[in-house]
Amino acid sequence: NAGVTQTPKFRVLKTGQSMTLLCAQDMNHEYMYWYRQDPGMGLRLIHYSVGEGTTAKGEVPDGYNVSRLKKQNFLLGLESAAPSQTSVYFCASSYPQRYPTGNTIYFGEGSWLTVV
Amino acid sequence: DQQVKQNSPSLSVQEGRISILNCDYTNSMFDYFLWYKKYPAEGPTFLISISSIKDKNEDGRFTVFLNKSAKHLSLHIVPSQPGDSAVYFCAAPGTGSARQLTFGSGTQLTVLP
């Protein structure tokens, strides 16, 4: 049972290079998310998607783009990497979040990105 | 402006004792709260949640308390075990249509044998 899978797990980029992080989920979840984790900052939402073909900005979207061409995949792109984008990136997925409670969101294992 | 705050970056507790992790929030519209646990090199995993209509929710050794008037919640772990050593995040669904989670900055719990 794979759950949420992220590739690659580790990557070193030079400033200005571009790359794409791939997230795949096999739970048929409609919602998908990209978070970044930085020391002292917790988990901050970059972009999210509430369904195939839809995307929306989160708390820290600048410098990133996303695409959700298939329900099971959510891609995070860095067009021109900067050292400030050195972080651990987590993809997550869930069923729709309904008021007044919510559904558990499931995280991948993380992708460590270093920009030098 | 952080809407969910964890003011203690770290906590050390002796094995067998109680661990109390705290979380404060600023948005009175939050109606549901969650705690996630994260081990090194792994993704966060869901631990326990509480609805704003309750003031306590218990699951085994883990209990979450909610004080709405103080906009404060706490996670109690009794008894603490070395395997509980991890980073704990509190979170709340936003008021937007997607109710995406807003996380606190996390507290590193270390349980000493």
Side-chain angles (χ1 to χ4, degrees), chain A:
Chain A
N1 193 3
V4 179
T5 304
Q6 297 178 225
T7 53
K9 287 202 181 317
F10 302 95
R11 183 76 186 269
V12 179
L13 279 179
K14 292 183 179 179
T15 296
Q17 284 186 319
S18 63
M19 77 159 295
T20 300
L21 294 174
L22 172 64
C23 177
Q25 54 96 2
D26 62 2
M27 295 174 281
N28 203 33
H29 286 160
E30 292 183 34
Y31 286 20
M32 295 189 74
Y33 317 82
W34 276 106
Y35 284 88
R36 60 179 287 176
Q37 183 192 8
D38 302 292
M41 302 296 288
L43 294 159
R44 293 182 293 170
L45 183 64
I46 305 171
H47 286 280
Y48 63 98
S49 167
V50 299
E52 182 178 323
T54 73
T55 63
K57 294 180 180 180
E59 181 184 356
V60 288
D62 294 341
Y64 305 95
N65 57 74
V66 287
S67 64
R68 183 101 181 267
L69 298 180
K70 293 182 179 181
K71 184 177 183 178
Q72 64 267 33
N73 295 339
F74 196 29
L75 278 63
L76 178 71
L78 284 72
E79 293 180 341
S80 180
S84 61
Q85 294 177 304
T86 294
S87 188
V88 185
Y89 292 86
F90 289 97
C91 178
S93 69
S94 75
Y95 291 113
Q97 304 294 330
R98 304 295 187 204
Y99 176 84
T101 59
N103 285 304
T104 302
I105 72 171
Y106 296 86
F107 285 86
E109 294 188 337
S111 296
W112 276 254
L113 176 64
T114 301
V115 183
V116 297

Side-chain angles (χ1 to χ4, degrees), chain B residues 2-111:
Chain B
Q2 273 194 307
Q3 297 190 66
V4 179
K5 300 179 183 179
Q6 294 177 258
N7 293 317
S8 298
S10 63
L11 174 69
S12 291
V13 171
Q14 208 67 35
E15 181 179 4
R17 300 289 188 114
I18 184 172
S19 295
I20 301 176
L21 295 92
N22 295 304
C23 180
D24 297 298
Y25 61 96
T26 58
N27 191 340
S28 58
M29 298 297 289
F30 286 153
D31 51 27
Y32 192 68
F33 301 90
L34 307 91
W35 285 92
Y36 276 76
K37 177 179 181 179
K38 183 185 178 305
Y39 292 117
E42 294 184 10
T45 55
F46 170 75
L47 182 59
I48 192 170
S49 62
I50 187 167
S51 167
S52 60
I53 62 174
K54 295 185 176 181
D55 54 16
K56 175 183 174 181
N57 188 28
E58 189 173 353
D59 183 2
R61 295 185 298 113
F62 302 90
T63 303
V64 57
F65 295 91
L66 175 62
N67 183 334
K68 287 181 64 179
S69 61
K71 296 192 181 69
H72 177 82
L73 61 155
S74 60
L75 174 68
H76 293 213
I77 307 174
V78 183
S80 301
Q81 300 174 353
D84 296 328
S85 296
V87 177
Y88 290 79
F89 294 99
C90 64
T95 52
S97 59
R99 290 175 59 78
Q100 60 271 24
L101 292 182
T102 296
F103 285 84
S105 55
T107 297
Q108 170 70 57
L109 173 66
T110 303
V111 180

